[in-house]
Amino acid sequence: MNQQDRGERLHKVLARAGVASRRQAEEMISAGQVELNGQLVTALGTKVLAKDRIAVNGIPIKQEKVGLYYLLNKPVGVISTTRDERGRKSVLDLLDKIPGRVYPVGRLDFDTSGLLLLTNDGELTHRLTHPRFGVEKTYIAGINGPIGKTALDKLCRGVWLEDGKTAPAKVRTLGKEPLRGLNLLEITIHEGRNRQVRRMCQAVGLNAASLKRIRFGPLSLDRSLGQGEYRALTAEEILSLRRQTGLPS
Ligand code: URA
């Protein structure tokens, strides 16, 4: 069979298997990290069939035939990385009835709850998390103490953190939460630095006692989804994420 007739491009297959974005997968191929049927491949146009054996850095990769996309209402007390040296429960332990492996799209801290997407689509994950694509994320922070106008203005303009100035955020107050009496602050950002919202709050003198993500790009957290519950995304929702990040419909 001539190379042109063979299946799909290797970097696309690697991206769908969740290994990396398409661009990163191309770099891995060029760098000699990828083997096809036991042979090193460095040619970027290489195409593969479903029966081909692929390995990255010597580790066999399972070709995913279908895209898997889920929305989880992450509870507090669960990590959103896939591995933890302290053996704590991971979000993957909650998605116990799905037909393949998925990876979290970005991360939510151990003590943050709310909307977390999980997928095996490496290209979409890359675009949803890379600051260049500017996907907005909205959080509700429960603030211990009053929220002054000065603090709100500073958040709107962007604040200095140890890793640089943040982009301007959209903020609004939502009144008091009845249970713990926390003052609720809605904040929308389009970056994804480590513990960014908590650090932004701290930098303007606000103490975020709780944090929940309620929106990621075009998707909102369903009220009907209990803590720790998840559901598959609809075709429409997957399309909206693709459109938002400039991928073809
Ligand atoms: N900002 C934070 O501080 N924590 C999160 O989990 C997400 C955004």
Side-chain angles (χ1 to χ4, degrees), residues 14 74 82 95 107 119 138 144 146 173 186 202 204-205 217 225 232:
L14 288 173
K74 177 193 171 299
T82 46
L95 278 81
R107 46 184 295 193
T119 180
T138 301
N144 232 329
T173 52
E186 186 184 274
Q202 199 179 21
V204 300
L225 209 58

Side-chain angles (χ1 to χ4, degrees), residues 7-27:
E8 205 177 354
R9 281 177 184 258
L10 179 56
H11 71 288
K12 278 195 188 178
V13 173
L14 288 173
R16 200 172 49 244
V19 171
S21 70
R22 287 186 196 174
R23 170 113 71 82
Q24 288 162 341
E26 284 185 326
E27 286 167 9

Side-chain angles (χ1 to χ4, degrees), residues 8-9 22 28 32 51 55 57 82 86-88 101 106 132 136 138 155 157 164 166 186 194 198 207 226 242 247:
E8 205 177 354
R9 281 177 184 258
R22 287 186 196 174
M28 293 168 97
K51 64 176 176 125
N57 295 325
T82 46
R86 284 154 68 185
R88 292 175 297 181
R101 188 163 172 77
R132 179 155 68 90
E136 287 192 341
T138 301
L155 290 170
R157 288 198 300 267
T166 65
E186 186 184 274
N194 194 25
R198 285 178 202 273
N207 170 23
R242 292 181 65 82
L247 285 168

Side-chain angles (χ1 to χ4, degrees), residues 187-205:
I187 175 161
T188 299
I189 59 171
H190 54 80
E191 302 163 291
R193 301 192 214 165
N194 194 25
R195 295 184 77 81
Q196 182 167 341
V197 174
R198 285 178 202 273
R199 289 192 295 136
M200 286 173 76
C201 288
Q202 199 179 21
V204 300

Side-chain angles (χ1 to χ4, degrees), residues 16-219:
R16 200 172 49 244
V19 171
S21 70
R22 287 186 196 174
R23 170 113 71 82
Q24 288 162 341
E26 284 185 326
E27 286 167 9
M28 293 168 97
I29 295 168
S30 300
Q33 292 174 262
V34 183
E35 283 170 41
L36 186 61
N37 300 321
Q39 301 284 318
L40 202 65
V41 277
T42 51
L44 289 182
T46 304
K47 290 189 172 176
V48 293
L49 297 171
K51 64 176 176 125
D52 285 329
R53 286 177 294 109
I54 304 170
V56 174
N57 295 325
I59 300 166
I61 301 299
K62 209 168 141 207
Q63 287 198 46
E64 294 285 350
K65 281 164 216 62
V66 286
L68 302 172
Y69 303 85
Y70 293 91
L71 187 158
L72 167 74
N73 183 359
K74 177 193 171 299
V76 164
V78 178
I79 57 157
S80 62
T81 44
T82 46
R83 232 177 264 146
D84 181 40
E85 64 289 348
R86 284 154 68 185
R88 292 175 297 181
K89 194 167 168 178
S90 138
V91 288
L92 296 184
D93 298 321
L94 300 171
L95 278 81
D96 49 356
K97 295 189 181 72
I98 65 168
R101 188 163 172 77
V102 290
Y103 303 85
V105 176
R107 46 184 295 193
L108 284 180
D109 298 331
F110 184 73
D111 45 359
T112 300
S113 62
L115 194 166
L116 182 69
L117 297 176
L118 298 106
T119 180
N120 58 358
D121 184 333
E123 181 61 23
L124 185 64
T125 298
H126 169 69
R127 289 176 178 237
L128 288 171
T129 50
H130 196 291
R132 179 155 68 90
F133 295 93
V135 177
E136 287 192 341
K137 284 146 286 198
T138 301
Y139 299 84
I140 296 190
I143 305 293
N144 232 329
I147 305 173
K149 183 167 179 325
T150 319
L152 290 177
D153 287 346
K154 284 183 184 164
L155 290 170
C156 282
R157 288 198 300 267
V159 293
W160 279 99
L161 302 177
E162 72 253 28
D163 47 0
K165 193 174 181 193
T166 65
K170 294 179 197 160
V171 290
R172 63 179 177 140
T173 52
L174 297 175
K176 229 182 229 316
E177 172 235 43
L179 220 59
R180 295 162 68 190
L182 298 171
N183 289 307
L184 298 179
L185 172 70
E186 186 184 274
I187 175 161
T188 299
I189 59 171
H190 54 80
E191 302 163 291
R193 301 192 214 165
N194 194 25
R195 295 184 77 81
Q196 182 167 341
V197 174
R198 285 178 202 273
R199 289 192 295 136
M200 286 173 76
C201 288
Q202 199 179 21
V204 300
L206 301 177
N207 170 23
S210 68
L211 190 63
K212 179 177 187 176
R213 181 155 68 198
I214 57 161
R215 193 166 70 81
F216 196 125
L219 306 187

